[in-house]
Amino acid sequence: MSGILSPQAWEKIWLFRQTFLLGFTNTVKVAFLGLVLAFVLGIIFGLMATSGNKILKVIARIYVEVIQNTPLLLQLCFLYYAFAFSSHSLGILPSGMIALGIYHGAYIAEVIRAGIEAVPKGQFEAAKSQGFSYVQRMYYIILPQSIKIILPPFVNQVVNMIKNTSCLYLIGGADLISLTYSFVTGENTGGAYAPAYIVSGVLFFIICFPLSTLASAWENSLKKRERKVVVRKKTALEGRV
């Protein structure tokens, strides 16, 4: 009954559609909460890495190197099992959310660091000479210029985070992949292998494809706006001459 064209398999998928909807909902929930944590950590450590303070830069570097050079699965298992048998057990979904947030936070920190460092140093010096504080320099001058650099890799991290929710399967999670596996191996639901994984793949595509498309459109819009500004400045200079 596992054939793609099997009517019985697709009928079983429809009868147990709530299983896939639950997995889809849990995947979105874990990814969203993980993204909030990753974004906060990314901003904190990204700013620390560009702060000019040696101690903060070293702390940020250690965080990034340790997280990026160890597998997400290892971090997830450590976080879950370190608390699983204690009185402070986090649970499967919270463990997944925290592990994903910490893991992708390291990558977002690097994205933010690279975006900030791509801005010419003259911009920092000019803002400082005008009496702007560090926060004001970042908020009003540096970060607005970094958006077009930060945006594409940031959205890539969002998409990767959504796909990495499948790692929760290893600790018995209730994400889309875990529930799909439980469905195809269940005593009463097993057998519809191909249709089940096709549905799971389509649901992932529904989340990820619009994000990638939106990011591309946003990036192109920012680039067009920048080109218009450059043309206007050039025209104004030529008019003065």
Side-chain angles (χ1 to χ4, degrees):
M1 192 180 66
S2 61
I4 296 177
L5 301 179
S6 170
Q8 294 86 357
W10 285 104
E11 182 181 1
K12 183 171 289 189
I13 294 290
W14 176 251
L15 289 174
F16 291 91
R17 59 189 180 277
Q18 292 300 326
T19 299
F20 295 92
L21 291 176
L22 176 61
F24 179 83
T25 301
N26 287 340
T27 290
V28 172
K29 185 188 302 181
V30 170
F32 176 76
L33 295 175
L35 176 61
V36 172
L37 177 59
F39 187 63
V40 171
L41 292 175
I43 290 177
I44 292 173
F45 286 98
L47 292 177
M48 286 172 61
T50 57
S51 65
N53 184 300
K54 290 184 178 180
I55 296 177
L56 294 180
K57 291 177 72 173
V58 168
I59 294 173
R61 195 74 249 155
I62 291 174
Y63 165 68
V64 169
E65 293 296 340
V66 170
I67 297 301
Q68 288 190 353
N69 290 288
T70 53
L72 172 58
L73 286 176
L74 175 64
Q75 297 170 27
L76 176 61
C77 288
F78 171 79
L79 185 64
Y80 176 70
Y81 289 110
F83 292 95
F85 302 105
S86 70
S87 58
H88 303 289
S89 178
L90 296 175
I92 294 174
L93 294 183
S95 296
M97 179 269 290
I98 295 172
L100 287 170
I102 293 174
Y103 181 78
H104 287 279
Y107 288 90
I108 292 176
E110 282 293 273
V111 168
I112 293 175
R113 179 194 60 78
I116 292 174
E117 291 182 347
V119 177
K121 291 184 178 179
Q123 299 284 340
F124 291 86
E125 295 170 356
K128 189 175 181 179
S129 67
Q130 294 297 318
F132 284 89
S133 66
Y134 176 77
V135 175
Q136 289 174 326
R137 292 199 299 268
M138 286 295 172
Y139 184 79
Y140 292 108
I141 298 174
I142 306 304
L143 291 180
Q145 297 182 67
S146 304
I147 290 178
K148 62 180 179 295
I149 302 170
I150 293 173
L151 181 62
F154 174 77
V155 175
N156 286 336
Q157 289 303 315
V158 175
V159 174
N160 287 336
M161 178 178 288
I162 293 171
K163 292 186 289 186
N164 281 341
T165 57
S166 59
C167 292
L168 269 68
Y169 161 73
L170 195 64
I171 58 174
D175 61 289
L176 182 55
I177 292 297
S178 299
L179 291 183
T180 300
Y181 179 78
S182 297
F183 174 84
V184 299
T185 57
E187 182 177 351
N188 298 320
T189 59
Y193 296 100
Y197 283 113
I198 287 175
V199 170
S200 183
V202 168
L203 290 174
F204 270 109
F205 184 82
I206 288 173
I207 311 173
C208 297
F209 179 72
L211 289 173
S212 300
T213 303
L214 178 61
S216 298
W218 192 3
E219 181 185 7
N220 292 333
S221 175
L222 290 171
K223 288 181 178 179
K224 288 180 181 178
R225 188 181 306 171
E226 185 180 10
R227 283 196 293 267
K228 288 180 180 179
V229 171
V230 171
V231 170
R232 288 174 185 171
K233 288 182 178 179
K234 186 177 180 180
T235 304
L237 290 172
E238 291 175 350
R240 291 178 183 177
V241 175

